[in-house]
Amino acid sequence: MRSATVTADDDRIRWVELPGREPARVYVHGLGATSAPYFAEVATHPLLAGHRSLLIDLLGHGISDRPRGFDYSLESHADALAAALTSAGVGGAELIAHSMGGSVAIVLADRHPHLVSRLVLVDANLDPMPRTPGSGGSSGIAAYSEQEFLTDGWQEVRDRVGAHWWSTMRLTGREALHRSATQLVRGTVPTMRELLLGLEISRTYLLPEADGPLPGADALTAAGVSVVPVPDCGHNIMLDNPQAFAHATATALADHGRP
């Protein structure tokens, strides 16, 4: 396990690092998750193994610190992640980022372009979302006020999301979980989608094939984003179909046809 101080209050981001060749690959989890359980299998898959790989936990999540004074906006997450990567000597990294982590990765690439050479977004959030009471995801968490969530809303969310997601969500600071969800549904200005369209690096978007066409896929494709449906999976593509995930990701990161 490695770590780096990322705030003025000495809060630390931590990650599991696998040795290998450059460029480094940085795996970033989604809301209420942690990178090692979600990405360890695919990061060591024969199609993806061999690169230096950082399975990193965003501030407030997993093995990273959980500061209560942090705002957990997508911009602040991205800046904290940038500080960790800089401390680790990472530059021009290939980011493989899931869900909210994909949103953070887009903002990171926009704000700190020297740190990112390629993006593989895994069913990432690209647009603001409505707050939806009773939903288990970010829109449901954000439907509570922070005080409501801290008092007993978190227990209702726990009961809705199920044992699998809760196994990592319970490691997330409660303020971090609520603020991250609230900021995610609010999105950024310009939106994450608009930022993604404007990036001048290799970009791939993976989505579950069963979800049907990705809204706005034509504009993404026209801007050079590869939109790749992955069969036999849900939102957690890397867990549901690791073989297909590894193949799609290796293809996205291939250099002259070789991963």
Side-chain angles (χ1 to χ4, degrees):
M1 182 175 67
R2 311 287 177 86
S3 70
T5 300
V6 296
T7 71
D9 294 323
D10 295 327
D11 301 301
R12 301 186 78 84
I13 275 181
R14 297 181 178 86
W15 64 92
V16 173
E17 183 163 334
L18 307 175
R21 64 185 181 274
E22 300 288 342
R25 290 177 176 168
V26 179
Y27 292 83
V28 188
H29 60 83
L31 178 71
T34 176
S35 283
Y38 275 73
F39 287 113
E41 181 178 4
V42 293
T44 57
H45 189 282
L47 290 173
L48 295 174
H51 278 256
R52 181 187 180 195
S53 298
L54 287 72
L55 282 63
I56 201 161
D57 284 351
L58 296 171
L59 208 59
H61 291 71
I63 57 176
S64 292
D65 286 348
R66 305 166 182 79
R68 293 182 173 179
F70 195 71
D71 69 5
Y72 295 99
S73 67
L74 295 173
E75 294 86 353
S76 294
H77 271 307
D79 289 347
L81 180 56
L85 296 181
T86 300
S87 178
V90 171
E94 300 173 339
L95 263 70
I96 300 96
H98 180 231
S99 198
M100 183 188 79
S103 305
V104 173
I106 293 168
V107 178
L108 175 72
D110 178 70
R111 292 167 74 90
H112 306 276
H114 64 289
L115 294 176
V116 184
S117 63
R118 299 184 182 191
L119 283 178
V120 177
L121 304 173
V122 187
D123 210 18
N125 303 80
L126 299 181
D127 305 297
M129 296 176 287
R131 304 183 186 207
T132 309
S135 168
S138 55
S139 58
I141 294 170
Y144 296 96
S145 70
E146 184 168 308
Q147 189 55 53
E148 289 170 341
F149 184 76
L150 296 178
T151 301
D152 51 26
W154 68 269
Q155 298 176 74
E156 296 173 0
V157 170
R158 174 199 63 195
D159 295 341
R160 286 200 295 266
V161 301
H164 176 82
W165 196 359
W166 184 250
S167 68
T168 57
M169 189 181 284
R170 65 189 177 86
L171 304 177
T172 309
R174 290 176 190 165
E175 291 89 354
L177 183 59
H178 183 267
R179 292 175 197 168
S180 293
T182 299
Q183 296 287 349
L184 180 60
V185 302
R186 180 178 298 155
T188 57
V189 180
T191 66
M192 297 85 78
R193 182 183 296 271
E194 291 167 327
L195 294 176
L196 178 62
L197 289 169
L199 294 176
E200 296 182 354
I201 57 175
S202 172
R203 297 148 295 162
T204 300
Y205 190 102
L206 308 183
L207 74 155
E209 185 177 71
D211 285 358
L214 178 69
D218 289 345
L220 291 172
T221 300
V225 181
S226 297
V227 178
V228 180
V230 180
D232 303 322
C233 64
H235 180 57
N236 296 321
I237 300 173
M238 71 294 289
L239 298 178
D240 296 338
N241 193 342
Q243 178 66 28
F245 176 89
H247 182 270
T249 301
T251 300
L253 298 178
D255 184 15
H256 302 298
R258 296 191 334 190

